[in-house]
């Protein structure tokens, strides 16, 4: 029997996607909340049991797989997945952000999201922090290190190797350079993880593909 040792499940992504897959599910969930309020047990109902959390995730994953919406790290679609060794990182200005990075033979991979989706995390750990699954705050978190800020500033100086690009391309190139540098800086042991993530940024820096996504889930694979 094969077990999934989940490290991270993004309930916010599952909650967003599931009603689009099955509109009747939203009605059912609303009825459950209404019933719980009537018996003054909202807190217990709102705290989703582990088996329900994984069942909802698996339903979303089956839909994405059946409809071909999951690509690979080297050829990502709207979503992408795989099994890869990754290292973990922390950033000074983004303590509640989860960040992991790895590489295939071709592509530099970065995965970033909110610490509140880690299994066993304190509820609402990042309630006052940015939504780390969105591209702008995630890039700001990765650039919170002085070295990354210097890298981005250097990429924006006239006469550099990006000077021939238009404003949009320069912004993309600077963002991709920040992501690659964040992965290059990771240290410590690597862990094999299985994952599915939403693509946020994909492009090439100096001939090397760089991919940034926000995980739907991460699971440890021995």
């Amino acid at each position: 029997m094969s077990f999934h040792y989940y490290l991270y499940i993004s309930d916010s992504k599952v909650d967003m996607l599931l009603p689009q897959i099955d509109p009747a599910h939203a009605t059912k969930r609303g009825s459950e909340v209404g019933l719980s309020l009537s018996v003054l047990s909202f807190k217990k109902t709102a705290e989703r049991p582990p088996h329900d959390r994984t069942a909802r995730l698996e339903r979303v994953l089956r839909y994405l797989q059946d409809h071909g919406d999951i690509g690979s790290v080297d050829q990502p679609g709207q979503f992408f997945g795989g099994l890869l060794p990754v290292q973990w990182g922390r950033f000074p200005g983004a303590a509640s952000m989860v960040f992991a990075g790895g590489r295939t033979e071709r592509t530099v991979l970065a995965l970033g999201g909110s610490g509140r989706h880690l299994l066993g995390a304190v509820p609402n750990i990042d309630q006052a922090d940015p939504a780390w699954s969105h591209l702008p705050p995630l890039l700001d978190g990765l650039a919170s290190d002085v070295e990354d800020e210097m890298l981005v500033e250097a990429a924006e100086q006239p006469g550099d190797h990006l000077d021939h690009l238009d404003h949009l391309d320069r912004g993309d190139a600077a963002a991709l350079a920040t992501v690659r540098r964040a992965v290059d800086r990771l240290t410590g042991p690597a862990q094999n993880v299985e994952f599915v993530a939403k693509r946020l940024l994909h492009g090439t820096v100096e001939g090397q593909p760089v991919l940034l996504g926000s995980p739907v889930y991460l699971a440890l694979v021995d």
Side-chain angles (χ1 to χ4, degrees), residues 1-176:
M1 184 174 181
S2 178
F3 293 96
H4 277 82
Y5 191 90
Y6 290 107
L7 302 174
Y8 180 106
I9 296 176
S10 176
D11 293 315
S12 59
K13 292 186 184 67
V14 172
D15 288 343
M16 176 183 64
L17 293 169
L18 193 52
Q20 298 178 61
I21 294 169
D22 181 10
H25 180 83
T27 303
K28 179 181 177 183
R29 184 65 181 170
S31 298
E32 290 175 353
V33 173
L35 178 61
S36 67
L37 282 171
S38 68
V39 295
L40 302 178
S41 60
F42 174 78
K43 184 175 180 181
K44 288 186 178 180
T45 302
E47 293 173 355
R48 193 172 291 132
H51 69 274
D52 184 45
R53 191 180 194 187
T54 55
R56 289 160 57 84
L57 168 66
E58 289 166 3
R59 188 170 184 180
V60 168
L61 294 176
R62 281 196 303 270
Y63 181 89
L64 294 176
Q65 290 163 353
D66 291 345
H67 290 79
D69 291 331
I70 301 180
S72 66
V73 173
D74 291 330
Q75 294 182 311
Q78 291 187 56
F79 295 83
F80 62 91
L83 195 163
L84 207 65
V86 300
Q87 294 171 291
W88 303 91
R90 296 182 65 85
F91 294 81
S96 63
M97 180 180 72
V98 173
F99 183 76
R103 289 176 173 78
T104 67
E105 292 182 358
R106 290 181 49 207
T107 304
V108 175
L109 169 69
L111 299 170
S114 168
R116 67 188 173 92
H117 297 309
L118 288 169
L119 270 71
V122 176
N124 300 320
I125 187 174
D126 67 344
Q127 192 171 21
D129 287 351
W132 296 119
S133 59
H134 295 172
L135 183 58
L138 183 52
L139 288 174
D140 287 344
L142 297 181
S144 63
D145 188 299
V146 173
E147 288 185 39
D148 277 327
E149 291 175 353
M150 292 174 62
L151 176 67
V152 174
E153 289 172 2
E156 293 174 347
Q157 295 300 316
D160 67 14
H161 68 287
L162 301 178
D163 195 45
H164 66 284
L165 301 175
D166 62 29
H167 177 73
L168 179 60
D169 288 336
R170 286 169 59 85
D172 288 349
L176 290 165

